[in-house]
Amino acid sequence: AKYTLSEMATVTPKPEEVKNWKNSQTFTVTSYSGAKRTYSVQIQTTDVKADNVVQLTTDEEVAQFATQGIDVINGSLIIGSNDTETTIEHIEGLSKLKEVRYNLIIYNNVKADLSPLFNSLERIGSLQFVGNNDKIETLDLPKLRVMPKGMSINSTTLKSISMPALEEIGGVDARCVHCTSVNMPKLKCVNGFFRFIAPLVEVLDFPELTSVQNITLNFRSETLNLVKLSMPKLEDTQEISVREAYYLDELNLHSLKNADNLYLSGPESLKVFDLSNLESVQTFHFFGLHDDESDINEVIAEISLPKLTSVVREIKFFGKLNALRLLSLKEVKDISLPVVLT
């Protein structure tokens, strides 16, 4: 304990000799003139930890958890269970939680508004929704900065995802057929796969993203509503797969240098197609809507890849294409071009 006394004053007991700060401590300060004053000190901790796994299966258990004042769980938190006869309707008792260091698992018998919990979380190991969570309409975690083990969700009712402070996530596996908006403006790193099945989303804009292992945006039974896909700082990735993107108007991968596989199918009216720094790719497929040479779509008339030097396997373009400029290409195994190329 550090403390300051007036000149020539003394204190008893000495704070550095106190061993138990859990209880209130009383100190007497005596001045040089002999005057005394008593102070009472009660320590308030900012992090109250719970170790191991915490599972809450009823509203009563949530309420009891709240009485402990816990804001850090050094383990996993499981909310709900497979018991469909019992539901959790209130989770206000979790509103002080700042961190769950391992897994946050939410079962589909949780029918409560999740915002009291999500509004306070700053870090979680992973977020997993078990079953089809048909009561979730918004997934808003305004303070969450890190989720190192990633997120998994399957929902038919989720309409929006917002994590405005998120900088790093382990991976994303989300199937949200009615989701229309995604907000992750500070996301820098995805340490795994980004598999996002959300055909109604029109804009995916990740202005700070520099690293992701694999991006999959396809819904094979429906056409994507995606209009804009922008990752201007992304430099390397294994694969980007965007299928059935009929309405895609802007594809911005300005900083992308290396990729194993690039797949893009469906766009009819691309206006922005920026791969100007691409240097190496193994496979690059740019298809019409039906992956068919006879399917001539109204795609941009000219494609320029000025820095592309190596195509390990093949580069394949179909659509309405008047010019393909590969001015630096040195190595290629196979090129397939549309018959209308002039």
Side-chain angles (χ1 to χ4, degrees):
K2 296 180 180 180
Y3 58 96
T4 301
L5 295 174
S6 299
E7 187 177 1
M8 304 300 291
T10 59
V11 59
T12 56
K14 293 182 178 180
E16 62 267 30
E17 296 177 354
V18 174
K19 302 300 182 183
N20 182 12
W21 289 96
K22 293 182 179 180
N23 300 321
S24 177
Q25 299 289 335
T26 300
F27 298 93
T28 300
V29 177
T30 304
S31 69
Y32 180 70
S33 65
K36 295 184 178 183
R37 184 172 294 176
T38 300
Y39 297 89
S40 180
V41 177
Q42 175 69 53
I43 301 299
Q44 293 183 345
T45 59
T46 57
D47 290 341
V48 182
K49 298 179 182 179
D51 292 325
N52 302 317
V53 176
V54 175
Q55 182 164 13
L56 308 173
T57 60
T58 65
D59 285 338
E60 291 74 20
E61 290 178 355
V62 173
Q64 194 279 331
F65 177 87
T67 64
Q68 302 176 58
I70 294 171
D71 56 12
V72 174
I73 294 179
N74 190 24
S76 295
L77 171 62
I78 303 172
I79 308 174
S81 67
N82 284 318
D83 182 6
T84 57
E85 301 297 323
T86 303
T87 61
I88 293 180
E89 305 288 343
H90 303 282
I91 61 168
E92 292 82 0
L94 305 177
S95 62
K96 293 183 179 180
L97 269 178
K98 296 188 300 183
E99 185 174 350
V100 178
R101 293 182 176 168
Y102 290 84
N103 305 317
L104 172 57
I105 301 172
I106 301 175
Y107 278 81
N108 61 357
N109 69 333
V110 177
K111 308 301 181 183
D113 176 14
L114 297 174
S115 59
L117 169 62
F118 287 166
N119 286 343
S120 62
L121 285 171
E122 298 175 7
R123 178 187 176 98
I124 54 179
S126 74
L127 178 60
Q128 302 173 32
F129 290 86
V130 178
N132 183 10
N133 298 80
D134 57 1
K135 294 295 183 180
I136 304 173
E137 292 193 359
T138 61
L139 184 57
D140 187 5
L141 291 101
K143 296 181 180 179
L144 187 68
R145 296 177 291 103
V146 181
M147 196 190 308
K149 294 177 66 178
M151 175 179 72
S152 176
I153 182 172
N154 180 9
S155 175
T156 58
T157 56
L158 184 65
K159 296 179 180 178
S160 66
I161 299 174
S162 180
M163 302 178 186
L166 185 67
E167 296 183 2
E168 179 181 349
I169 191 169
V172 175
D173 187 0
R175 185 183 179 94
C176 314
V177 294
H178 292 107
C179 183
T180 59
S181 68
V182 178
N183 178 38
M184 299 179 182
K186 294 185 178 181
L187 184 63
K188 296 179 180 179
C189 181
V190 180
N191 296 313
F193 286 67
F194 189 94
R195 183 177 182 269
F196 194 68
I197 310 302
L200 298 184
V201 171
E202 294 186 0
V203 176
L204 286 174
D205 187 6
F206 304 108
E208 300 299 323
L209 184 65
T210 60
S211 174
V212 59
Q213 182 176 345
N214 180 300
I215 300 173
T216 302
L217 308 172
N218 66 313
F219 194 73
R220 296 186 180 278
S221 63
E222 291 187 30
T223 300
L224 293 178
N225 280 10
L226 191 65
V227 174
K228 177 181 179 180
L229 175 60
S230 180
M231 296 174 284
K233 293 185 179 182
L234 181 65
E235 294 187 3
D236 298 279
T237 185
Q238 289 184 3
E239 179 174 306
I240 297 177
S241 177
V242 185
R243 313 264 184 168
E244 312 300 320
Y246 187 84
Y247 302 103
L248 190 63
D249 184 77
E250 177 180 342
L251 178 67
N252 184 355
L253 299 169
H254 176 75
S255 299
L256 187 65
K257 294 181 179 180
N258 304 291
D260 288 350
N261 303 302
L262 297 176
Y263 297 101
L264 175 64
S265 70
E268 287 196 345
S269 58
L270 271 173
K271 294 183 177 66
V272 177
F273 184 74
D274 192 346
L275 281 163
S276 55
N277 286 292
L278 185 65
E279 297 176 1
S280 174
V281 64
Q282 292 195 28
T283 302
F284 189 175
H285 286 187
F286 185 34
F287 285 119
L289 185 60
H290 303 296
D291 295 355
D292 187 344
E293 185 176 358
S294 63
D295 181 29
I296 308 302
N297 295 316
E298 299 293 328
V299 188
I300 52 176
E302 177 178 320
I303 291 178
S304 179
L305 304 170
K307 295 185 179 180
L308 184 64
T309 59
S310 173
V311 180
V312 177
R313 296 194 187 98
E314 65 176 347
I315 186 167
K316 185 178 291 187
F317 288 96
F318 295 124
K320 186 177 181 179
L321 187 62
N322 295 328
L324 175 62
R325 305 189 187 281
L326 306 170
L327 303 180
S328 301
L329 189 63
K330 296 179 180 179
E331 176 188 3
V332 61
K333 185 175 182 180
D334 186 29
I335 294 182
S336 298
L337 300 174
V339 295
V340 297
L341 183 67
T342 59

